[in-house]
Amino acid sequence: NAGVMQNPRHLVRRRGQEARLRCSPMKGHSHVYWYRQLPEEGLKFMVYLQKENIIDESGMPKERFSAEFPKEGPSILRIQQVVRGDSAAYFCASSTGQSDTQYFGPGTRLTVL
Amino acid sequence: AQSVTQLDSHVSVSEGTPVLLRCNYSSSYSPSLFWYVQHPNKGLQLLLKYTSAATLVKGINGFEAEFKKSETSFHLTKPSAHMSDAAEYFCVPGGGYQKVTFGTGTKLQVIP
């Protein structure tokens, strides 16, 4: 059973461009969580999704950030018009249910030039 | 709501000596608790979890943690540190709605 997969592992964007981060949960997992880790900081919750539903996006910045988890395919975290402050590692986790253990992917490291 | 406090932001041990990473929790009910490890430039890996089945929980890589209700603690230990243990460790509350926020963790340095 493959673990949580994220791609790309490294992403470089110039200011103003869009960044798309993908997360494929573990097989059988229908709950996905996104976290952001700024340099020298801990992980901060961004959004919790189930298939086709956003359950909690209270950790998402109000502008430029959006997330989806379609019926088919990976979960996508989209950042529009990136700024230097968006440079961070973005981690995705998945679980079988909302009370169950979260398993993390290797992360996508976004660098905004 | 549950919360945890990791008492040390940095711990330094010599290779071959015991490791103790401290975590205290506060909860009005029996919690579930997790320890995760993050190696440099890597994602988080689950070390072990406590879900009230047994107070002494054994995890991967020789780590274990003991849930002590009287002390509201869930400290992570390992008898003998290895260089590969150098990483950041997170004690995380779980259970209920999984909107987990990780603190800055404890950075473990292993000195040769």
Side-chain angles (χ1 to χ4, degrees), chain A residues 42-102:
Chain A
L43 273 75
K44 289 189 166 52
F45 167 81
M46 298 182 75
V47 62
Y48 164 36
L49 310 103
Q50 293 182 37
K51 285 281 187 183
E52 300 184 278
N53 286 306
I54 297 175
I55 306 303
D56 184 339
E57 58 182 347
S58 58
M60 289 270 273
K62 299 246 184 302
E63 297 176 347
R64 302 188 297 107
F65 284 72
S66 62
E68 63 177 13
F69 188 17
K71 189 176 179 181
E72 301 290 337
S75 175
I76 306 284
L77 179 67
R78 182 179 175 211
I79 311 172
Q80 295 178 290
Q81 299 174 316
V82 295
V83 301
R84 288 227 174 102
D86 296 332
S87 295
Y90 292 83
F91 290 96
C92 163
S94 72
S95 68
T96 53
Q98 71 175 27
S99 300
D100 297 318
T101 305
Q102 294 183 30

Side-chain angles (χ1 to χ4, degrees), chain A residues 9 33 35 37 40-45 48 55-56 58 91 97-106 109, chain B residues 32 34 36 38-46 49 88 90 95-104 107:
Chain A
R9 295 291 306 278
Y33 312 80
Y35 296 84
Q37 185 176 36
E40 301 303 316
E41 293 188 16
L43 273 75
K44 289 189 166 52
F45 167 81
Y48 164 36
I55 306 303
D56 184 339
S58 58
F91 290 96
Q98 71 175 27
S99 300
D100 297 318
T101 305
Q102 294 183 30
Y103 293 89
F104 283 79
R109 278 158 183 81
Chain B
S32 58
F34 303 78
Y36 286 87
Q38 185 180 27
H39 287 91
N41 299 314
K42 296 285 173 76
L44 274 79
Q45 182 181 21
L46 179 68
K49 63 180 179 180
E88 190 158 16
F90 297 90
Y97 180 62
Q98 276 283 6
K99 182 176 145 181
V100 175
T101 296
F102 294 71
T104 49
K107 284 192 172 73

